[in-house]
Amino acid sequence: MKYWKILLKEQRDKGKSGLSIPFIIGSQAYLPFKNHSKQSISELLIDISQNNSFETSLRYCMNTQTLILEVRKTKNAVYFPKYKGNEQKNLSVAISFDNLGESIEEIIKELEDRFKEPIDKQLFSAEPNSDKRTAVWRKYTDYEDIPFITNSFKKLKN
């Protein structure tokens, strides 16, 4: 099973919503395989859209003030962006006030722009802060984030 699938399922099993894209991208540093090439945002979204066993949804999280990926909740209204002009049904995007684009290529460009700074600074975790208008990024915590990632990755097979 892919690393991002495990993380999203583990997060859901904890009764929580999804994970930010920087969180998923940064988690690759803890993969137990030496020969794993790290995915970029582009590679992650294309992977999700083309190789999925469950529908993954991209939506805005009011608690952290950022976009998250999650196992889709059926109550959320979504659309399915096209990839290379073709229909796909693995990656959905919540219908909201923030139009991210009609294609996966447009969405990738928007997300790369949006998350370049926190990823470059290795600030992968968004703090809950429903009182602010933007995400507050921080490094992974030793007491919660890193144990969650490493425990989740124990289920991976090379």
Side-chain angles (χ1 to χ4, degrees):
M1 184 178 289
K2 303 213 177 230
Y3 75 97
W4 53 265
K5 287 183 183 183
I6 288 175
L7 289 173
L8 293 176
K9 283 186 173 190
E10 290 292 313
Q11 184 76 340
R12 182 195 57 196
D13 291 348
K14 286 174 47 178
K16 295 185 176 185
S17 294
L19 298 167
S20 73
I21 291 166
F23 191 98
I24 295 169
I25 293 294
S27 74
Q28 295 175 91
Y30 298 92
L31 284 167
F33 317 128
K34 291 180 183 178
N35 60 350
H36 182 276
S37 60
K38 292 183 181 173
Q39 287 184 317
S40 64
I41 291 173
S42 175
E43 292 163 332
L44 172 66
L45 290 185
I46 291 167
D47 191 17
I48 290 170
S49 72
Q50 301 300 299
N51 303 296
N52 209 345
S53 58
F54 57 82
E55 184 184 329
T56 302
S57 190
L58 177 65
R59 73 167 180 86
Y60 191 79
C61 175
M62 296 300 288
N63 190 37
T64 58
Q65 302 295 318
T66 193
L67 293 164
I68 61 170
L69 288 168
E70 68 181 357
V71 177
R72 180 173 174 216
K73 296 173 184 160
T74 54
K75 67 179 181 174
N76 292 346
V78 300
Y79 69 96
F80 293 90
K82 291 183 177 183
Y83 177 59
K84 293 185 177 179
N86 297 314
E87 301 285 331
Q88 59 83 35
K89 292 290 183 189
N90 298 319
L91 176 64
S92 63
V93 178
I95 296 171
S96 68
F97 61 90
D98 189 8
N99 183 2
L100 296 173
E102 296 301 315
S103 71
I104 290 178
E105 294 86 350
E106 290 173 316
I107 293 168
I108 287 168
K109 173 75 173 102
E110 173 64 28
L111 298 179
E112 287 174 339
D113 291 346
R114 205 176 276 210
F115 295 126
K116 180 179 182 359
E117 185 177 343
I119 290 171
D120 286 351
K121 292 181 176 180
Q122 297 188 351
L123 303 173
F124 300 120
S125 191
E127 288 183 10
N129 65 6
S130 56
D131 297 333
K132 297 188 180 160
R133 293 182 184 251
T134 59
V136 175
W137 296 100
R138 61 173 165 77
K139 294 192 177 289
Y140 288 135
T141 60
D142 291 331
Y143 59 89
E144 184 177 18
D145 297 332
I146 294 171
F148 168 74
I149 294 167
T150 56
N151 288 332
S152 296
F153 286 171
K154 288 179 182 175
K155 298 179 180 182
L156 279 171
K157 293 186 172 71
N158 195 0

